Amino acid sequence: MWTKLDKWLFCYLLHWSREWGLTSLAKRVSRSGDGPIYVGLGVSLLVFHPQGAGFFNQLLWGFAIELPLYLGLKHSLRRPRPCHALLELKFSFEPADKFSLPSGHTAAAFMVASFIAVTFPFLNPWVFIWASAIGWSRIALGVHYPLDIIAGMALGLGSASVVLCWL
């Protein structure tokens, strides 16, 4: 049942995004969640902001927790991406790997959004809107199902929670 609902919701969101011509926007939003962006943000804050060292440490510990869990889940669950499984649909975006669950972009975005929200509370709603947009972009590009996004969100928020409780 969940698989059917997940596929139906994926097709609905993909169609809606295409109907509104949002594929180009989805690519830009998705790129804003690429790893080098986080490195640049962390190093910039470390050098130029008084709270940068704390934020940088949160990022380091967060990715030390999130990345092994993400890779372990992705390679043990081995769920094919929709762009590889739903051959009746056409996709113009090719992901870096072939498995979809959980969404690493979404996990990283929600984890980083959590750290930004704690360090800069005035950005709180905006960073979570951005993280949610990254999740949507991954569906709009055809590389993740909605359940992948939810799992990524849980992984990111969980990893951030561990770090924020521990540090």
Side-chain angles (χ1 to χ4, degrees), residues 7-8 10-11 14 18 81-91 145:
K7 182 180 175 183
W8 178 85
F10 166 80
C11 289
L14 180 71
R18 288 178 173 179
R81 292 184 182 271
C83 59
H84 298 141
L86 304 175
L87 300 178
E88 67 273 14
L89 298 172
K90 301 284 186 227
F91 298 98
Y145 293 101

Side-chain angles (χ1 to χ4, degrees), residues 93-115:
F93 186 84
E94 187 59 37
D97 62 40
K98 57 185 177 178
F99 302 123
S100 72
L101 181 65
S103 167
H105 272 78
T106 307
F110 273 90
M111 183 182 71
V112 171
S114 298
F115 297 149

Side-chain angles (χ1 to χ4, degrees), residues 4 93 96 110 120 142 144:
K4 278 187 174 183
F93 186 84
F110 273 90
F120 305 104
H144 284 291

Side-chain angles (χ1 to χ4, degrees), residues 3 6 10 12 27 31 41-42 44 46 54 57 61 67 70 82 101 109 119 125 128 138 148 152 154 158 164:
T3 305
D6 201 24
F10 166 80
Y12 177 82
K27 286 179 183 177
R31 266 188 247 117
L41 176 64
S44 296
L46 179 63
N57 284 332
W61 283 109
L67 275 172
Y70 156 75
L101 181 65
T119 307
F128 287 104
R138 305 303 285 169
D148 304 340
L164 292 170

Side-chain angles (χ1 to χ4, degrees), residues 40-57:
L41 176 64
V43 170
S44 296
L45 288 174
L46 179 63
V47 172
F48 298 111
H49 197 278
Q51 293 175 313
F55 180 81
F56 189 79
N57 284 332

